[in-house]
Structure formats: structure tokens, C-alpha cells
Amino acid sequence: MTYEEAKDYLSEISHSGMVFGLETMQQLLARLDNPQEKLQFVHIAGTNGKGSTLAFISTILQCAGYTVGRYASPRVFEYEEFVQINGNNIEREALCRYVKQIKTVIASMEEEGLARPTLFEVETAIGFLYFVEMECDVVVLECGLGGRDDATNVVENVLCNVLTPIGLDHTGILGDTLEEITEAKAGIIKNRAPVCVGRQQKRARLVIEKVCGRVGCPLLLTDDSRLRIYDELEYAQDGAPMIHFDYKYFTDLKIRLIGRYQVDNACLAIEAAKVLDDWGLTVTTEHIKEGLEKAVWHGRFDTISKDPQVIIDGAHNPHGMKQLKQSLEYYFSGKRIFGIMGVLADKAYDEECEMIAPLFEKMFTITPPANPRALEAEKLAQVLKNYHSDVTACEDIETAVKAAFAKAKKDDVIVIFGSLSYIGEAGRAVRKNAGK
């Protein structure tokens, strides 16, 4: 099977849409000899910060000398980046082999009258097969949506569960209240594996505590009272800005992910690393410090160009937008900021517009390309005009980037945010316009 044939088949599978529940995934994996049973996992669920926390944990483990698999979504720049080992994407040759194998299995399932697996289920199976073939010591596994009924929740050999901050998101699927959504995401908690929990609203934390007590899992919470963040950014030898902080007895910590909220994700990763060290892996303080400093996660408050500084951020729900707002206010108070925004129609975009619009000198809107759920730029612009006097709808991301560069001066800031689905194309447009 060629790469083009593999992608065509995956595109065909994508029309199956989203189906929740584990039965079809279990049927698929059983016919693939249950590769997940040959692996051990750190399992991550939450609303925001899953990817960044995954990056911190997996890089710490890599610095400790382990072969680490990463499974995360959505992709930002390349399709294959959803499955990585030690930061390297799955090879296309391996992807094609697994798609061919899985295509045969799915055909047999359909002949037996079983449901066709979804694209996410197929991609998760690809990850498991690859991680086994490459003899991963640990897989850091991110839930796609929710937790309890997510396709990743078939795993049993879990060393540590991790819950990042939980907020209202996908309410039509996971529930209408924070308690219902938390219960769904806490569905990954099982088998007495320790649970590391980041900063939570009280109502969410109480649900998590109840679930941990019910299933007998130890609970470890991050401790904001023992966190100190230094006000000034530091700079690495390559010029990358870094946040400097102390947490508990870990001092002189630095991270390249400079969103203010990233410190919370780093603290959560530290708690997970301590658990893993207690449960049989060897993870030292030096491994933690080195892993935090080396970790990268593209598309999250990510500086991709200078003079003017251009930041891309995948804030795509109210909680993420609040974090973006706090970071912009923290780092760029007094500076002119130009915004480029594109969102999906099934998000709480009116609430997001009201929250973020006042920060910007001028705003440009785009329609996220090649996404049936995209909100049209004109409609987003009309909503933003309720909260901002200078908004322009653009026909595409390149037009918006070009217009923002024309307005911004050397010391200004351009922020491209909203759906992660167009961040990769935004990066390419910035590279094309930077330096003109």
C-alpha cells in the first residue's frame, strides 16, 4: 500500500464520524493481538493542557533514558505527528503497513456485521502497533475526547493517570455541567493507578476525589502555595525565551513553553515524574530539570517569528481563551497587539470574543480551511464587532497574515489563535511574510 492509498483509506474511514464506547475498539484490537497489553502507559485526560503536559512528561522520561511513545491530537504541522517516539514521527512506511493490516481486519469485522471503527480508533490502533514494534518502555497517551468512553481507555497497564484542568467543553457530548464532564474525563481512573491532578475548579476537584475514593486510586494534587515564578523571562543560548520558577524542593526550573499557564502544566508533570520514580522507573531531579527545559509543544503560545513577535496559540474554548488572555496581559502589557482569529462553529465563540477582543489594537478573522465545522470569517467578524470597533474579515489566512504584518511595527505583537486546525497553515504564511 502506498502512502497516498493509505491516506485515501483513512479519509474514507473518517466519514464514520465520532462513535463513543469501547466495544468496537476492543473488537479491533483483539483481531490485532491486543498490542496495548504489551505496553505500559501514562494516561492523560482533561480540557486544556493535555498536549503540553504530555510534552513535559515524555521529554522528562526521554532524558531519563527511556524509549518513550507519544500519542496526541490534533496534529498541527504534519499528519504523522500524532504518533511519535522520542519526539520523532512515525515513518510513512510503517504507517502504510499498519493501515494495510487494519484495512483487512476491518473488512472481516464488517463481514461479520460489526460496526466499522472510527478514524480515531484506527489511529489509536496504529499507535499501539508501532509502539510495540519499536519496543517503547512507556507510552504517554492523550485522550481524544472525554475519558470514560474514549478509544484510548482500553488500556489497563497504567502507571499513572493525569488530569489537567477541566472546564466546559463538548457539552453536547460529555454533559451539560462541569460535574458531568469531570465524571466523564475521570473515567480513565482505574486499576489503583495513582492519579496526578492539576489546578481544578472546586466542583471538578470534588468529583475527582469521589472517583478516586470509589475505585481506590491514590490522589496527588499540585500545590500552588509552593510555587514561585520569577517575573523576568530568561533566554536560552539559542535565544528562546524561558520562564524561571521554583516548585516545592525543585529549584531553578526553566521551561520554553512561555504561556503563564504552562507553569501549572510543568508542575503537574513534576508530580507525575515523582510518581513514576516511586513506582519503579528511575527519574531523578536532574532528569526533571533537563526534560522541562528541553520540552517543546508547537502551537501553544508559541513564538514563531520576531520583529514583530508572532505568537500562535491553539486556544479553542473559554478556558483556553482565558489562559491566553492572562498570558498576553502578563507578558505584553502596554504593547500593541494585533489578533488573527479563526474558530469552529460548535465552540462557545461569543463568550470567547467578549473575553479576548478588548486586548487587541485591531482584529482579523478567517475561516479555518478544509474543516466542515468552521465558522465563516464574516460571521465571526460580526460577533467580534459587538466587542471591538476595528475588525476585518479576510478571505484566507495568508491574506490575514499579510494585513497584520502591514499594520504591525517592529515592537508590536501579532497573535494567531483559535482552532488548532489552521495553525500549521498560519505558520507557513508567517514564514512567507516575515522579513518582507
Side-chain angles (χ1 to χ4, degrees):
M1 176 177 280
T2 66
Y3 179 72
E4 289 72 22
E5 290 170 337
K7 288 297 295 294
D8 285 344
Y9 180 71
L10 293 172
S11 177
E12 177 188 338
I13 289 291
S14 70
H15 298 304
S16 300
M18 292 190 296
V19 179
F20 296 97
L22 303 181
E23 182 178 352
T24 301
M25 186 65 179
Q26 291 166 338
Q27 292 281 358
L28 173 62
L29 292 173
R31 287 162 168 77
L32 296 170
D33 196 28
N34 285 313
Q36 79 282 2
E37 295 180 358
K38 305 174 180 70
L39 300 163
Q40 54 186 1
F41 298 89
V42 175
H43 202 183
I44 303 177
T47 300
N48 287 292
K50 296 191 299 293
S52 301
T53 304
L54 175 147
F56 285 130
I57 295 171
S58 57
T59 309
I60 289 169
L61 291 173
Q62 185 179 341
C63 289
Y66 295 102
T67 301
V68 186
R70 292 183 179 187
Y71 181 75
S73 61
R75 291 156 285 276
V76 177
F77 296 111
E78 298 175 314
Y79 175 76
E80 291 79 22
E81 67 190 49
F82 74 105
V83 172
Q84 296 183 345
I85 293 180
N86 288 355
N88 297 311
N89 294 352
I90 182 174
E91 296 92 345
R92 288 187 173 185
E93 179 274 329
L95 178 72
C96 294
R97 276 193 288 112
Y98 297 137
V99 172
K100 181 179 179 180
Q101 179 182 359
I102 290 171
K103 180 179 180 180
T104 301
V105 168
I106 290 177
S108 69
M109 290 175 64
E110 291 182 310
E111 286 176 2
E112 295 174 30
L114 299 173
R116 171 190 278 192
T118 66
L119 176 62
F120 186 75
E121 289 170 331
V122 169
E123 291 176 336
T124 304
I126 289 170
F128 292 158
L129 290 168
Y130 186 60
F131 297 142
V132 170
E133 180 181 348
M134 301 303 290
E135 300 181 343
C136 285
D137 298 308
V138 186
V139 175
V140 187
L141 181 70
E142 178 188 334
C143 286
L145 193 156
R148 178 184 54 231
D149 298 319
D150 188 78
T152 63
N153 205 28
V154 294
V155 301
E156 297 291 336
N157 303 324
V158 179
L159 300 175
C160 177
N161 291 300
V162 178
L163 290 174
T164 67
I166 296 171
L168 293 176
D169 195 25
H170 299 292
T171 52
I173 299 170
L174 301 179
D176 295 324
T177 68
L178 180 61
E179 288 82 0
E180 289 174 331
I181 292 171
T182 303
E183 187 80 33
K185 291 179 184 289
I188 67 170
I189 298 173
K190 57 180 179 292
N191 296 351
R192 299 191 179 276
V195 182
C196 295
V197 179
R199 183 190 302 223
Q200 301 289 346
Q201 298 178 58
K202 182 178 180 179
R203 289 184 296 148
R205 190 185 72 248
L206 290 174
V207 172
I208 295 166
E209 290 173 353
K210 180 181 177 181
V211 173
C212 286
R214 185 171 68 228
V215 300
C217 291
L219 173 63
L220 300 98
L221 302 171
T222 55
D223 186 353
D224 293 344
S225 69
R226 300 176 67 183
L227 169 65
R228 176 191 178 189
I229 304 175
Y230 295 84
D231 289 337
E232 297 296 324
L233 289 175
E234 298 205 5
Y235 292 86
Q237 290 184 348
D238 62 3
M242 297 189 297
I243 298 177
H244 184 196
F245 68 102
D246 303 329
Y247 179 64
K248 293 185 174 180
Y249 53 84
F250 297 92
T251 60
D252 197 31
L253 302 170
K254 298 170 185 175
I255 56 174
R256 291 170 178 258
L257 284 65
I258 65 167
R260 166 60 185 83
Y261 55 89
Q262 296 292 5
V263 178
D264 297 331
N265 297 331
C267 292
L268 181 54
I270 291 171
E271 297 292 352
K274 289 164 54 184
V275 164
L276 295 171
D277 183 63
D278 290 341
W279 283 62
L281 301 183
T282 300
V283 185
T284 68
T285 297
E286 288 307 310
H287 295 146
I288 290 172
K289 293 179 73 170
E290 182 184 1
L292 292 178
E293 188 166 340
K294 287 184 175 180
V296 295
W297 194 243
H298 297 300
R300 279 74 171 183
F301 211 78
D302 189 7
T303 296
I304 60 172
S305 186
K306 298 179 180 179
D307 303 326
Q309 183 170 356
V310 181
I311 294 171
I312 55 176
D313 190 276
H316 60 280
N317 54 44
H319 187 268
M321 206 65 68
K322 181 179 179 181
Q323 292 178 325
L324 173 60
K325 179 177 183 288
Q326 290 173 342
S327 293
L328 292 174
E329 290 173 335
Y330 185 78
Y331 294 115
F332 303 122
S333 176
K335 285 202 169 191
R336 295 201 314 164
I337 308 174
F338 296 86
I340 299 174
M341 184 178 185
V343 301
L344 302 184
D346 56 0
K347 299 295 182 178
Y349 53 84
D350 192 292
E351 179 183 351
E352 296 167 6
C353 290
E354 182 179 12
M355 187 187 310
I356 201 78
L359 294 181
F360 296 102
E361 181 81 10
K362 178 175 175 58
M363 299 194 71
F364 304 91
T365 63
I366 63 103
T367 306
N371 193 319
R373 296 158 55 206
L375 182 71
E376 294 180 358
E378 287 286 355
K379 185 170 183 179
L380 178 58
Q382 288 302 315
V383 175
L384 278 168
K385 287 175 181 177
N386 293 324
Y387 313 107
H388 198 290
S389 60
D390 193 356
V391 183
T392 300
C394 299
E395 60 179 297
D396 53 39
I397 182 61
E398 187 167 340
T399 301
V401 168
K402 186 175 181 180
F405 267 90
K407 288 283 186 180
K409 297 179 180 179
K410 181 178 179 181
D411 293 331
D412 294 335
V413 179
I414 298 171
V415 183
I416 306 172
F417 64 101
S419 172
L420 275 166
S421 66
Y422 78 93
I423 293 299
E425 183 170 339
R428 290 187 287 273
V430 168
R431 288 190 291 273
K432 183 176 180 180
N433 282 273
K436 285 188 177 180

